[in-house]
Amino acid sequence: MLQTPMIELDVHGLTVEQAVAKIEEQIKKANASTYRIRVIHGYHRGNRIQQGIYQEIGHGLNPKVLRITGGDNPGVTEIVLREY
């Protein structure tokens, strides 16, 4: 199964728990060609999802995650799996 180097994942309308589970599933499925997962969560109520990403996936909690960074706008968080 061929994957793109960057996966975009829209988690609008999900709870924090649902969003984190969906993100973790994508991280698990990511192969060597995937270097980044762009999570689109929105910037009003999406801030809770962003906080959940940092708390549940960041800070060395997932060995496949190199780092987590902000995206192009406040409604996006990018999970870096490897350098491009």
Side-chain angles (χ1 to χ4, degrees), residues 39-56:
V39 181
I40 304 164
H41 48 68
Y43 57 86
H44 291 291
R45 291 194 293 165
N47 289 341
R48 291 194 329 229
I49 292 175
Q50 184 181 44
Q51 291 171 351
I53 292 169
Y54 279 98
Q55 291 173 352
E56 300 295 324

Side-chain angles (χ1 to χ4, degrees), residues 5-6 10 16 21 24 27-29 32-34 47 49 54 56-57 59 69 72-73 81 83-84:
M6 185 182 324
D10 189 341
V16 173
E24 288 177 333
I27 292 170
K28 187 176 180 179
K29 287 181 181 179
S33 70
T34 305
N47 289 341
I49 292 175
Y54 279 98
E56 300 295 324
I57 299 170
H59 309 295
T69 184
D72 299 351
N73 67 57
L81 304 181
E83 296 299 336
Y84 178 70

